[in-house]
Amino acid sequence: MNVKDAVAREAVLRALLDAIGTAYQQARAEAQQLLDAAAQDHGLRQVAAALPDGRQVAVVSLTGSTAEAQVTDERAFTRWVAAEYPTEVERRFVTTVRPAFAERILHDLTATGRTAWADPQTGVLHEVPGVRIAPRRARTHSVRFARTGRADIARAWHDGHLTALALPHLPADPGKSP
């Protein structure tokens, strides 16, 4: 292949990648919205993905979201630690909580899913100010292809069977980008 063909090939594939990438993100967002609704309404957690001819090519499964304790009000959290555990505070130009102690508290709060922390030495239950349990990762979904799923999709694309199902519409005006 010569340089002219190589750069032309790259330019064509880049234009197609841009169009397909945008269409993929839109399709993924729509699938997530519908999967979330199906999970809430019917408890559905998995759906088989099939080609127009009915061949199953993948299974799409919801994955759970995760939450973790996060300091949302540094001053309130630091005041609480300074009052309850003064040895865990480092004083510089600014008062801060020792990172190892903050990490331990946040880890324990994440494990319980609450902002109440029980001191393991005294058993005293503290409502920890300046911290909340917040989503770290939104619920999403995964696509697991069947053993021949990718090859079946490639064959269906080659045979022209995916146009109505998945291929993005390219603009009618070639001067406009998708």
Side-chain angles (χ1 to χ4, degrees), residues 5-156:
D5 291 342
V7 297
R9 180 173 184 250
E10 179 186 1
V12 167
L13 290 173
R14 175 58 194 252
L16 293 173
L17 179 63
D18 290 347
I20 290 171
T22 298
Y24 172 74
Q25 292 302 327
Q26 291 168 344
R28 185 165 176 80
E30 181 181 8
Q32 185 65 50
Q33 184 179 25
L34 293 170
L35 285 164
D36 286 340
Q40 184 174 354
D41 296 344
H42 310 292
L44 189 68
R45 309 262 325 143
Q46 273 188 349
V47 178
L51 294 173
D53 67 4
R55 276 182 293 170
Q56 183 176 330
V57 293
V59 173
V60 178
S61 305
L62 276 174
T63 60
S65 60
T66 60
E68 69 180 357
Q70 300 173 350
V71 174
T72 57
D73 184 340
E74 189 73 38
R75 294 169 98 185
F77 181 67
T78 300
R79 277 194 308 271
W80 172 76
V81 173
E84 299 292 333
Y85 302 93
T87 60
E88 297 300 332
V89 172
E90 295 177 346
R91 298 195 189 277
R92 298 182 199 151
F93 293 108
V94 194
T95 302
T96 62
V97 176
R98 292 176 193 238
F101 186 74
E103 186 178 318
R104 187 175 90 213
I105 295 285
L106 295 175
H107 177 268
D108 291 351
L109 296 177
T110 296
T112 63
R114 299 176 50 218
T115 57
W117 181 70
D119 185 323
Q121 291 180 339
T122 65
V124 174
L125 186 64
H126 298 273
E127 184 59 40
V128 181
V131 175
R132 71 182 176 100
I133 306 297
R136 186 180 99 209
R137 186 186 78 205
R139 179 162 65 175
T140 187
H141 60 275
S142 65
V143 177
R144 288 187 319 272
F145 287 97
R147 190 174 55 78
T148 62
R150 290 179 192 270
D152 291 343
I153 291 169
R155 197 172 308 107

